[in-house]
Amino acid sequence: MSEKRTFWTCLVALIVVLPLAFVVRAWESLRESQWLAIHKVDIVAEDGAPQAFAGGQWKLLDMRRLPRSDDARIILAEFEASPTDPAILSQGACRVRLVDGKGRRFEPVALAEPAVRKMYPEVADRPRCGALAFTDAKGGAAVRMAESFIVPAEARDLSLRIEFPGASEETLVFRWTRS
Amino acid sequence: MISALRTLLLCALAIAMLYAMRESMPGYGDITAPIAVRGAVGERVETQDFAFGAASVHLARAVKVESFGRVKDYSTSGVWLIIEGAAVAKTETMTLMSAEWQAGNGVRYALSQRFSTVSGYLPTERLEPGLPRPVLLAFELPETAVDKGTLLVARSLVMPLAEELSIALGDRKPTEIKPSVTISRSAGGAPWTLAAR
């Protein structure tokens, strides 16, 4: 092969190899980036329809809107899960969030709000979503849970998102159109 | 002879260039440093995830905190810089964990840990999207660090490439240092009231 030809072959190879080296090195970061991330599937259930998810049959019982202040409301979400596969349920860690029509994500409050304690004391005493709630579940009996959220008064089109990393890759979304 | 000299010169130039590139290469900390969003006292400064506004700034030699009938004194050999403001989350529930005071000479001072029990203190305040909360910040500083200083507020100190608010006091700097400022609980809108004595 002539020297000239080797030169051009190497130059063309460089144009291919350099970007390739960049992609190979950055592959992990690129895969984690927003555009290329494999979007997890959402299982959507409307207004209290039961839905199989993460080793249980889940159902949103009620989503109440309680007063808090002029510009804020408490959303009290009550839901239940009947374990069909308790082994799977006890593996994961439950994460519950409330999402409104504008896509804003609200985390549940750790302590029940005074208004919830006063108006719905039996709901306030329900366990929060987590492996602990399922430890006492006997033979497929439904476990009732409750979470409360603080949202702006104008928040609409609420949906409850339940993730169970460890037990399921998917996300369960309860849409609530009533009230 | 000339050709050898030219080669030597080219080599020296290449070495100099490589050295300059090596010296000017930014470190990992610089590449992933927070992105500054600039603002001023008295205005709402926005990032993608949250908004913050510093409303008023006070300087004092001592701070008294009144809580449930008890008064606690906080003295300092320097000066207390107290900032009243408001913060709101925009996309998700969060807590603004990082607030620093950057003095004119670049020295950074962390938020004082001594007021973490005062209600409304920034790192203890949980922010819900769309619900603004009044917040309080306090820095214990040498007197020389107040002038030409900047307030830096971010979600966390360790989030790479996150946005960080950079609020300059400018001419809104308080001119006099008050002997004492009292922070007491309030039943009204803000969770505290601040009075200078």
Side-chain angles (χ1 to χ4, degrees):
Chain A
M1 208 188 282
S2 72
E3 196 178 320
K4 202 171 170 186
R5 201 182 155 135
T6 314
F7 172 81
W8 284 110
T9 314
C10 288
L11 200 71
V12 170
L14 205 65
I15 294 168
V16 179
V17 169
L18 262 181
L20 197 72
F22 171 77
V23 170
V24 168
R25 242 186 103 71
W27 184 244
E28 280 299 309
S29 309
L30 284 172
R31 221 178 50 175
E32 279 174 25
S33 74
Q34 260 179 357
W35 318 301
L36 293 177
I38 303 150
H39 286 289
K40 286 187 205 159
V41 196
D42 288 348
I43 308 171
V44 183
E46 302 279 345
D47 288 328
Q51 178 65 50
F53 170 69
Q57 192 72 17
W58 294 69
K59 190 179 174 189
L60 179 62
L61 301 170
D62 206 350
M63 194 121 86
R64 297 184 181 96
R65 187 178 279 262
L66 314 179
R68 187 170 192 268
S69 64
D70 287 346
D71 54 355
R73 302 284 180 273
I74 301 165
I75 301 293
L76 178 62
E78 204 184 343
F79 49 98
E80 66 172 28
S82 313
T84 48
D85 193 342
I88 296 180
L89 267 177
S90 58
Q91 268 172 18
C94 184
R95 188 179 187 199
V96 183
R97 275 183 298 181
L98 192 75
V99 181
D100 76 349
K102 291 178 184 167
R104 297 181 292 188
R105 302 177 293 278
F106 301 86
E107 299 277 344
V109 290
L111 290 170
E113 286 281 310
V116 177
R117 290 222 157 272
K118 203 172 154 193
M119 295 167 78
Y120 301 99
E122 77 290 350
V123 182
D125 288 336
R126 297 250 156 83
R128 299 184 58 199
C129 189
L132 211 67
F134 298 108
T135 47
D136 299 333
K138 289 177 196 87
V143 178
R144 285 196 162 195
M145 293 162 279
E147 298 274 7
S148 40
F149 306 85
I150 296 163
V151 303
E154 90 283 355
R156 289 286 177 273
D157 302 326
L158 300 171
S159 54
L160 192 75
R161 293 178 69 91
I162 301 173
E163 286 169 54
F164 231 104
S168 174
E169 284 288 297
E170 297 152 320
T171 303
L172 176 60
V173 181
F174 282 120
R175 283 218 187 101
W176 195 254
T177 50
R178 296 182 211 161
S179 83
Chain B
M1 182 68 189
I2 292 173
S3 148
L5 199 71
R6 205 172 61 183
T7 314
L8 206 70
L9 263 172
L10 276 173
C11 272
L13 189 74
I15 290 168
M17 268 176 67
L18 283 173
Y19 182 75
M21 279 161 75
R22 190 192 139 98
E23 285 299 301
S24 62
M25 190 173 82
Y28 185 75
D30 298 317
I31 299 169
T32 57
I35 298 156
V37 179
R38 288 179 207 291
V41 175
E43 68 181 44
R44 183 183 155 113
V45 196
E46 308 259 354
T47 72
Q48 263 179 353
D49 290 340
F50 68 95
F52 176 88
S56 58
V57 184
H58 311 268
L59 285 171
R61 296 271 175 220
V63 174
K64 289 179 198 294
V65 175
E66 275 180 22
S67 178
F68 301 112
R70 279 175 47 195
V71 180
K72 241 178 158 180
D73 285 302
Y74 296 92
S75 61
T76 173
S77 52
V79 66
W80 287 110
L81 175 83
I82 296 166
I83 300 167
E84 291 179 287
V88 63
K90 287 161 81 175
T91 52
E92 60 183 330
T93 304
M94 68 172 79
T95 308
L96 296 176
M97 298 301 289
S98 166
E100 289 183 323
W101 179 258
Q102 189 173 31
N105 58 5
V107 179
R108 283 168 174 240
Y109 297 86
L111 195 72
S112 173
Q113 303 280 316
R114 297 169 71 184
F115 300 99
S116 49
T117 53
V118 174
S119 73
Y121 204 54
L122 184 74
T124 62
E125 204 62 22
R126 182 180 146 127
L127 305 172
E128 302 289 355
L131 289 171
R133 297 281 306 160
V135 289
L136 190 70
L137 298 92
F139 296 93
E140 192 174 0
L141 307 169
E143 218 175 304
T144 50
V146 178
D147 203 29
K148 296 197 179 87
T150 314
L151 172 68
L152 307 172
V153 179
R155 268 185 85 169
S156 155
L157 253 186
V158 289
M159 264 175 143
L161 289 171
E163 288 173 300
E164 184 178 61
L165 296 186
S166 170
I167 298 171
L169 285 199
D171 52 2
R172 297 286 293 265
K173 185 176 94 77
T175 43
E176 60 162 331
I177 302 173
K178 286 158 188 136
S180 167
V181 154
T182 305
I183 300 168
S184 42
R185 272 180 179 273
S186 149
W192 72 87
T193 53
L194 202 142
R197 305 255 157 84

